[in-house]
Amino acid sequence: MYKNKFITSIITYVLLILLSCKDTKNTNPTQNTKKQNQITCTNKACQGTYQGKEFINGDDIAHQFSNQMSAAVGDQLKALYASGDYSKVDFSKIEMSTKGMGSGDVVYTLTIPFITVTEPCEAYTAFDHVGGWNHAPALSQRKTQLTNVLMPNQQLDISDLKTTQEGLQEYWIQWQHKVVQAACE
């Protein structure tokens, strides 16, 4: 009799634990925000949207979307170059918006358009950025960091400062990738 009560108590206890456990698959905010980052690239542009928290545990999560977009643009420029569709970013037509900034949640939308060039050595196949929320980007430091990726006698092509109404500031940077475009040296 005590054995049956003991087994019943154990089963009840295990069921209570199982029923009270939360599904932890989606509680990692960084993992969730990565699912919300949608970047699509064509031969005309890369565009995408980040929707989620601005900061998580002190990390500037929303601004990291600029890193993801830079990587996608660089990959697309390399793919276009490999297919003979020589291109570079059209800085004058970059579109940025950061709705909700300062509220804790933000919708950061970016469009990075391309223009086609005729010669392979007029194209760019590497892309990066430097920026931040409500503070001047550290452009001098980024230029110094990128000096080792340049071919001899090459300079970075840097956009004018792009800003959103909510205070995101970015410089976008492109150059010839020294391995992909080694023939242009």
Side-chain angles (χ1 to χ4, degrees):
M1 178 160 160
Y2 290 109
K3 186 176 180 182
N4 288 342
K5 281 187 179 181
F6 179 72
I7 292 173
T8 303
S9 295
I10 295 289
I11 291 172
T12 304
Y13 180 73
V14 170
L15 286 173
L16 284 173
I17 290 174
L18 290 174
L19 293 174
S20 67
C21 288
K22 294 180 182 175
D23 178 9
T24 58
K25 289 180 191 171
N26 294 321
T27 59
N28 180 339
T30 304
Q31 183 180 10
N32 286 342
T33 55
K34 286 181 182 174
K35 290 179 184 175
Q36 294 170 357
N37 297 341
Q38 301 296 320
I39 297 174
T40 305
C41 293
T42 67
N43 64 340
K44 303 276 185 219
C46 286
Q47 56 189 6
T49 300
Y50 164 85
Q51 184 173 350
K53 298 290 181 193
E54 284 181 66
F55 297 93
I56 298 174
N57 298 326
D59 290 333
D60 191 352
I61 300 302
H63 187 235
Q64 290 176 18
F65 187 61
S66 294
N67 299 342
Q68 295 164 1
M69 180 61 81
S70 292
V73 168
D75 290 346
Q76 184 66 7
L77 289 170
K78 288 174 187 66
L80 290 170
Y81 186 85
S83 71
D85 191 5
Y86 308 120
S87 301
K88 63 183 181 179
V89 170
D90 185 351
F91 287 145
S92 68
K93 294 188 178 157
I94 290 175
E95 296 176 12
M96 299 177 4
S97 70
T98 50
K99 300 205 182 328
M101 191 179 125
S103 69
D105 290 303
V106 68
V107 177
Y108 178 12
T109 303
L110 265 172
T111 301
I112 310 284
F114 305 133
I115 37 180
T116 304
V117 295
T118 54
E119 299 296 321
C121 293
E122 293 174 349
Y124 290 107
T125 53
F127 194 74
D128 202 354
H129 76 103
V130 60
W133 303 106
N134 288 322
H135 65 80
L139 183 58
S140 313
Q141 290 173 335
R142 180 67 81 211
K143 285 179 178 179
T144 301
Q145 292 165 350
L146 293 174
T147 55
N148 64 337
V149 301
L150 296 173
M151 291 187 277
N153 301 317
Q154 183 187 33
Q155 294 186 12
L156 299 168
D157 186 18
I158 303 171
S159 74
D160 293 334
L161 182 65
K162 305 288 183 179
T163 60
T164 65
Q165 290 181 342
E166 300 81 15
L168 174 65
Q169 300 180 50
E170 292 281 6
Y171 285 104
W172 298 97
I173 306 166
Q174 61 186 347
W175 66 95
Q176 295 174 335
H177 190 280
K178 64 183 176 182
V179 173
V180 174
Q181 293 181 267
C184 296
E185 189 173 329

